[in-house]
Amino acid sequence: MQEEQQPEAAADPMSSSDVPEDGPKETSSVSQSISDADAFKILLEMKMKKRQKKPALPSTVTELNTEDGSKVYVVGTAHFSDSSKKDVVKTIQEVQPDVVVVELCQYRVPMLKMDEKTLLKEAKEINLEKLQQAIKQNGVMSGLMQMLLLKVSAHITEQLGMAPGGEFREAFKEASKVPFCKFHLGDRPIPVTFKRAIAALSFWQKVKLAWGLCFLSDPISKDDVEKCKQKDLLEQMMAEMIGEFPDLHRTIVSERDIYLTYMLKQAAKQIELPRASETEPQRYIPAVVVGVVGMGHVPGIEKNWNSDLNIQEIMSVPPPSASSKIFKFVIKATVFGLMGYGCYRIGQRTVQFILSMPAAQSYLQKLTEIRSQH
């Protein structure tokens, strides 16, 4: 399931061979395979020369190792930080990874290819159309939660004049420059996270959380962002609001720590080298992986690294609770009530406007005179 969620920034060298199976001669097939293997070796040697044996890495990087010798360099970032972008670029250039894994899912892929100006505009413009799209995609409850969290992100964006996800865009660009480097999405799908988060809250907890998100207005400075390098700013703000809801923190942070750890370990599997012929034994080399995640997830990834992980449980979506159904009904009733009241007010004003027109008043006066004559 996870493999389908992992687009690649570069072609897999193992699938680059274009040898026809029914070629006229076996020797030409072997020759082509040798040529592919030689080309791979040359590019691999170039990559290894650039790869530093003792890389000079930023202080935000945590090194993890697997049992088969693969190395994973986890870059802890602040989502609204220029220095985090530099940390990501430096790490990828130093270690020349085989795989880059980022804290994104397929629903947030567009931010990788959008420029900063467009993203800044998108983040600030939260309108009814976006709300309808979110509700259509994720349901009423999850859609509203998504829009409220976008409001938090938009608030930070407006305060700083900086769009989120710059470190992920830098990772995508740098990964494309490294030979045979794959680009994987490592985060759990947003709809699953929101639906599990909603299911974890009672009716009044949902109301209280929504109220806190709706009236978020505290000023934020760039210095505040840099001070939050040890704990991601967006997640820190969320943690302050959801601190009294342990179940919500579990679904939004702790479960995603497990998912990110699992995806990093999957990416760190040994790499199979191409063979010059069918008789040559298969050879594997340890992989080098760079993970780009919010700083708040790094402790959880370290904690789960040596555990046997099963993500099936945290991928399931529980059925809606009674409180969710009540909250959903209240939201719908409120929306339709406001729409009905709006139509009533518009209709009332329209009638008053028409009746105030001279032609209408003249017509009503004639109608009154006719009735009085009868």
Side-chain angles (χ1 to χ4, degrees):
M1 177 184 64
Q2 288 74 29
E3 294 298 324
E4 296 177 358
Q5 300 173 5
Q6 300 175 352
E8 298 178 3
D12 186 345
M14 300 308 299
S15 63
S16 61
S17 177
D18 197 17
V19 184
E21 295 181 358
D22 56 350
K25 293 182 180 180
E26 184 178 352
T27 54
S28 63
S29 177
V30 173
S31 175
Q32 181 65 36
S33 297
I34 292 173
S35 176
D36 288 344
D38 288 343
F40 179 86
K41 287 178 181 177
I42 292 170
L43 288 172
L44 187 61
E45 286 176 4
M46 292 173 59
K47 180 176 178 175
M48 292 301 180
K49 285 180 180 179
K50 288 185 178 181
R51 180 179 290 174
Q52 301 297 321
K53 292 183 179 179
K54 294 183 179 180
L57 300 175
S59 60
T60 53
V61 176
T62 300
E63 182 180 335
L64 300 170
N65 298 282
T66 66
E67 294 179 355
D68 56 21
S70 296
K71 291 184 180 294
V72 178
Y73 299 94
V74 183
V75 188
T77 68
H79 295 320
F80 292 83
S81 169
D82 283 327
S83 62
S84 283
K85 292 190 283 187
K86 295 175 183 176
D87 290 350
V88 169
V89 171
K90 181 174 178 59
T91 303
I92 293 176
Q93 290 177 350
E94 286 282 313
V95 305
Q96 293 289 297
D98 303 299
V99 186
V100 171
V101 181
V102 295
E103 184 198 329
L104 289 177
C105 70
Q106 67 266 37
Y107 293 92
R108 291 190 287 167
V109 166
M111 76 155 52
L112 293 174
K113 297 182 179 180
M114 294 172 71
D115 59 77
E116 196 83 6
K117 185 178 180 182
T118 304
L119 276 167
L120 200 59
K121 182 180 177 183
E122 286 286 320
K124 290 181 178 180
E125 293 179 355
I126 298 179
N127 50 38
L128 183 60
E129 184 180 349
K130 287 184 179 180
L131 176 60
Q132 291 175 334
Q133 186 178 359
I135 291 175
K136 183 179 180 181
Q137 187 179 67
N138 304 314
V140 174
M141 294 301 303
S142 297
L144 288 171
M145 178 65 77
Q146 182 176 346
M147 293 308 296
L148 288 173
L149 289 176
L150 280 175
K151 184 182 183 298
V152 177
S153 179
H155 169 65
I156 302 174
T157 297
E158 187 175 5
Q159 292 281 319
L160 300 180
M162 180 189 301
E167 72 274 31
F168 301 137
R169 289 188 290 280
E170 291 298 326
F172 183 70
K173 292 176 187 175
E174 289 300 317
S176 65
K177 300 175 185 177
V178 180
F180 309 121
C181 182
K182 299 178 181 180
F183 189 85
H184 287 185
L185 304 176
D187 201 3
R188 183 172 64 179
I190 284 179
V192 176
T193 297
F194 283 141
K195 287 175 182 177
R196 288 183 63 85
I198 290 296
L201 296 177
S202 68
F203 171 76
W204 291 114
Q205 285 176 330
K206 293 183 180 80
V207 173
K208 192 171 183 179
L209 178 63
W211 182 267
L213 291 170
C214 284
F215 292 93
L216 177 71
S217 59
D218 294 335
I220 305 163
S221 68
K222 290 188 178 181
D223 288 338
D224 291 332
V225 179
E226 295 309 321
K227 288 176 184 176
C228 291
K229 286 294 290 293
Q230 297 306 311
K231 191 172 185 181
D232 180 72
L233 177 63
L234 182 57
E235 288 175 4
Q236 177 170 311
M237 295 178 67
M238 286 300 301
E240 290 174 356
M241 285 184 287
I242 68 178
E244 58 187 288
F245 310 135
D247 290 335
L248 189 60
H249 185 274
R250 171 178 52 80
T251 55
I252 292 180
V253 181
S254 301
E255 289 184 358
R256 287 171 59 225
D257 289 346
I258 295 172
Y259 192 92
L260 287 164
T261 306
Y262 177 85
M263 297 303 285
L264 286 168
K265 292 177 81 170
Q266 289 293 108
K269 290 182 176 179
Q270 287 191 324
I271 299 170
E272 181 183 354
L273 296 176
R275 295 181 292 172
S277 67
E278 294 293 330
T279 57
E280 184 179 336
Q282 289 184 337
R283 293 184 299 135
Y284 297 85
I285 58 173
V288 173
V289 178
V290 169
V292 182
V293 304
M295 182 62 76
H297 290 292
V298 176
I301 292 172
E302 287 187 275
K303 177 184 175 182
N304 292 304
W305 188 252
N306 294 316
S307 305
D308 292 329
L309 304 175
N310 183 355
I311 63 170
Q312 296 304 316
E313 182 182 349
I314 62 172
M315 287 298 292
S316 63
V317 178
S321 62
S323 64
S324 293
K325 292 178 180 178
I326 293 172
F327 192 66
K328 183 177 179 179
F329 173 78
V330 170
I331 291 294
K332 283 187 175 180
T334 302
V335 171
F336 284 117
L338 290 172
M339 289 175 63
Y341 179 73
C343 291
Y344 165 74
R345 293 291 295 172
I346 291 172
Q348 189 180 43
R349 289 182 180 180
T350 302
V351 171
Q352 290 175 349
F353 175 75
I354 293 173
L355 292 177
S356 66
M357 295 176 66
Q361 290 180 352
S362 175
Y363 177 78
L364 289 173
Q365 186 176 0
K366 289 181 180 179
L367 186 62
T368 304
E369 291 174 357
I370 293 171
R371 284 186 176 180
S372 62
Q373 290 175 359
H374 290 286

